[in-house]
Amino acid sequence: QVQLQESGGGSVQAGGSLRLSCTASGATYTRTVTGWFRQAPGKLREGVAAIYRGGAPPVYADSVKGRFTISKDNANNMVYLQMNNLKPEDTAMYYCAAGQTYLGYQSLTPSAYSEWGQGTQVTVSS
């Protein structure tokens, strides 16, 4: 089992930036992919970005390409999501998730993950 904890959410104005962090603990060696997802009220959970523990390039949802960057610190079991040029439509609860198999673009699908954090709220005002 892997435990995940997100941090770094908050309220910003449109055009601002936030950096989310995901801290993993437990049997982290069994999980090769970490993803960031978000869910706004009344909407389905959607994949934002995913990163492989090895060397494959990360994947991003089209809606965040060029604005968000996912990165990892394997030594400290951390994954980050740098969010720049935030828009009101980015407002959501953001979750990190851990999975066993990197599936490329399919790693933006919630069913690819077995463990989830509790989430951190991001609110972007216009």
Side-chain angles (χ1 to χ4, degrees), residues 1-118:
Q1 284 280 37
V2 174
Q3 294 77 43
L4 302 168
Q5 179 65 57
E6 304 91 340
S7 61
S11 297
V12 296
Q13 291 193 324
S17 297
L18 284 172
R19 188 194 195 206
L20 304 184
S21 299
C22 175
T23 305
S25 60
T28 58
Y29 59 90
T30 64
R31 303 295 184 261
T32 64
V33 56
T34 303
W36 282 101
F37 291 78
R38 65 187 182 187
Q39 188 166 18
K43 295 190 176 182
L44 295 174
R45 188 168 297 190
E46 64 169 339
V48 174
I51 192 164
Y52 178 51
R53 192 175 180 89
V59 293
Y60 297 92
D62 289 344
S63 57
V64 306
K65 277 181 183 176
R67 300 189 299 123
F68 290 11
T69 302
I70 189 171
S71 61
K72 58 184 172 63
D73 177 355
N74 287 343
N76 293 300
N77 294 316
M78 299 285 294
V79 173
Y80 305 98
L81 185 69
Q82 177 67 43
M83 306 186 295
N84 298 328
N85 190 22
L86 282 161
K87 304 176 181 181
E89 51 264 42
D90 295 318
T91 295
M93 185 71 78
Y94 282 71
Y95 301 88
C96 68
Q100 293 180 304
T101 307
Y102 183 61
L103 302 173
Y105 194 77
Q106 293 304 312
S107 290
L108 295 180
T109 304
S111 60
Y113 296 85
S114 49
E115 284 98 4
W116 295 80
Q118 295 298 308

